[in-house]
Every structure is written in C-alpha cells, then in structure tokens.
Amino acid sequence: MSLRKLDIFSDLTAGFESGVNPYRDLLAAAHDLPLVSGPALREKRGAWRRFIAQHHPDFQIETAPLLLEIGCHNGGTLRELARTVPHGACLGIDMTFKRAVKTAQKAVESQLPNMWSILGNAAQLPQLFSPGELDGIVAFFPDPWNQKRHQKKNRLFSASFCQALYQMLREGGFFWVKTDDEDYHGEIVAAVQAFGGKPSLVPMPFVEKKQQYISTFERKFRAQKLPIYESFWVKLP
Ligand SMILES: C[S@@+](CC[C@H](N)C(=O)[O-])C[C@H]1O[C@@H](n2cnc3c(N)ncnc32)[C@H](O)[C@@H]1O
C-alpha cells in the first residue's frame, strides 16, 4: 500500500503490519522524534508558529521565517537550511516512513531544535498550511514521472498545486525549484507565471543563494554532468 492515497490526518501506521517496515515501527514507537504525522497534523493549519514556539523557545512567532521543503528525502538539504536559518524553523515533508523518520533523526543527531519532519503526501499540503503561513518553499528534484509507463498526470507540481503553494506564501516569501527535467521545469514556470496574469511572482536572487544547498539528487546529477534547471521566485505584494 502507498501512503499517497491515505488521508494525511489518519493514523498512517495503522494500515501497515508491524514487523515489516522498521521505520513504520520506529514511527509508531518513537514519540520523541520531531516528526508530525496523522491526527497530530489536524490542528496545525494556521498554528505552526505557535507549535514551534512551544518546542523552540528562541523562535519569534511574529517574525521568524517558516520554511517548507517538499520531498525532503533523508533530510540532508533540510538540515542545511535549518543550520543557515537558525532563527527560523524548517519543516520537511516526505511520503515514505523511512525518509520521514530519517529526516527527524537527522534533526536529533544534529541537535537542531528548528527542524521537523512531516509524513504524508504533499498533494494534501493545502490542508496543512493556511494562506500566507509560509516564508519559503523549496522543492528540489521532485519525481519527474517522465517514463512512458508513468503518466505525467502524476506530477505533483500541477498548475493548481503551484497556485495553492503560492497562496500559502506570505508576501516576500520565496518558491525555489530545481529539477533535472527540462519539460517539468517548463511546466512549473508556466504554472507560476499563469497566476491570473498578475505579476506577483518574479524571479529574484535568494539571500542565502551563495549557500548552495546541494541535495542528494543534485549531487548525483552533477556527477553525471547532467543539466539542472532552477527557478526562484519571490511573492510580491
Ligand atoms: C527524486 S527525490 C528528491 C529528493 C531530494 N529533494 C533531493 O533533491 O535529493 C523525490 C523525493 O520526493 C518524495 N516525494 C515524491 N512525491 C511526494 C509527495 N507526493 N509527497 C511527499 N513527498 C514526495 C520522494 O519520497 C523522494 O524523497
């Protein structure tokens, strides 16, 4: 069974037998990991900042940036973000038990009180974040679904999803995409540009861009000398 189809607010461990996937069992048992999933996500929409401040006393509710990485894999990029934005909070969502747990374990190992993992299908993000709640969204190398047996319709970053992400950003917030797939990059650019024809998203350099945040997949593609397509937008008033 895939987590893709499950309601993000349901107990995702329930449908999976224990003793089969060690990360499912870790998730079911380890309540002290910085990992939010299932029913615990229910009241987070619009309340992430309060939740974070309860666990991270230095977090300034009104002003500290709240960043989200979609498809955070094993948490490597999220950890770099959390290190370079210590005054903010970094959330990463991924859809497998292993990756969500590994991300949370990285936060613990690295003693980063500003890093959390979320388990679930990112397609359901509009149920987790209210309009303007986020200061930045990072999506590096989303699954391209470009083989024949796959269908492009499985791509997460559809026009409607990009628009929903845009709504979750506050003014001044950023959306940063990297992919090895030129076609998918073009689709995302077109989607972002098409928001009602309003010039509300324009590419701008990210203040921390000198910090490269090379993800696991970027490292692989660079080693193969493959091209990488990247866009960065800031939401203007
Ligand atoms: C190709 S990997 C890229 C991982 C990482 N961002 C990087 O650049 O190294 C895509 C990641 O997105 C996750 N993913 C794919 N579809 C997802 C979805 N709908 N919701 C949450 N995570 C998803 C996968 O589990 C995987 O970790």
Side-chain angles (χ1 to χ4, degrees), residues 69 71-74 76-78 80-81 138-144 176-181 208-231:
E69 185 186 8
C72 63
H73 201 242
N74 295 341
T77 304
L78 195 68
E80 289 318 300
L81 275 169
V138 171
F140 290 168
F141 303 92
D143 288 330
W176 189 3
V177 171
K178 295 190 204 182
T179 171
D180 60 311
D181 191 298
E208 294 289 346
K209 200 102 186 286
K210 58 184 184 317
Q211 171 78 29
Q212 298 247 327
Y213 306 106
I214 307 294
S215 69
T216 306
F217 275 71
E218 180 163 357
R219 216 166 291 123
K220 275 189 208 167
F221 296 134
R222 280 182 181 226
Q224 295 169 46
K225 304 215 176 329
L226 291 171
I228 287 165
Y229 304 89
E230 177 175 5
S231 286

Side-chain angles (χ1 to χ4, degrees), residues 41-59:
L41 286 168
R42 225 175 255 287
E43 280 154 28
K44 296 292 181 289
R45 191 171 190 266
W48 282 101
R49 288 168 183 282
R50 262 180 285 135
F51 165 76
I52 289 159
Q54 282 163 11
H55 296 83
H56 177 26
D58 297 339
F59 185 75

Side-chain angles (χ1 to χ4, degrees), residues 91-162:
L91 310 171
I93 183 165
D94 210 289
M95 208 172 42
T96 75
F97 288 118
K98 182 175 177 177
R99 291 171 187 159
V101 167
K102 283 196 158 209
T103 296
Q105 287 173 330
K106 271 210 173 68
V108 175
E109 285 156 21
S110 312
Q111 300 183 356
L112 286 165
N114 62 334
M115 171 173 165
W116 275 269
S117 175
I118 299 171
L119 174 67
N121 183 354
Q124 297 175 50
L125 281 173
Q127 296 175 63
L128 298 192
F129 294 95
S130 59
E133 192 165 10
L134 289 166
D135 294 272
I137 299 174
V138 171
F140 290 168
F141 303 92
D143 288 330
W145 294 100
N146 57 3
Q147 291 170 19
K148 270 213 175 118
R149 64 196 166 86
H150 295 149
Q151 294 171 347
K152 272 187 9 179
K153 68 175 188 197
N154 280 333
R155 287 180 171 173
L156 179 61
F157 292 83
S158 63
S160 59
F161 185 66
C162 289

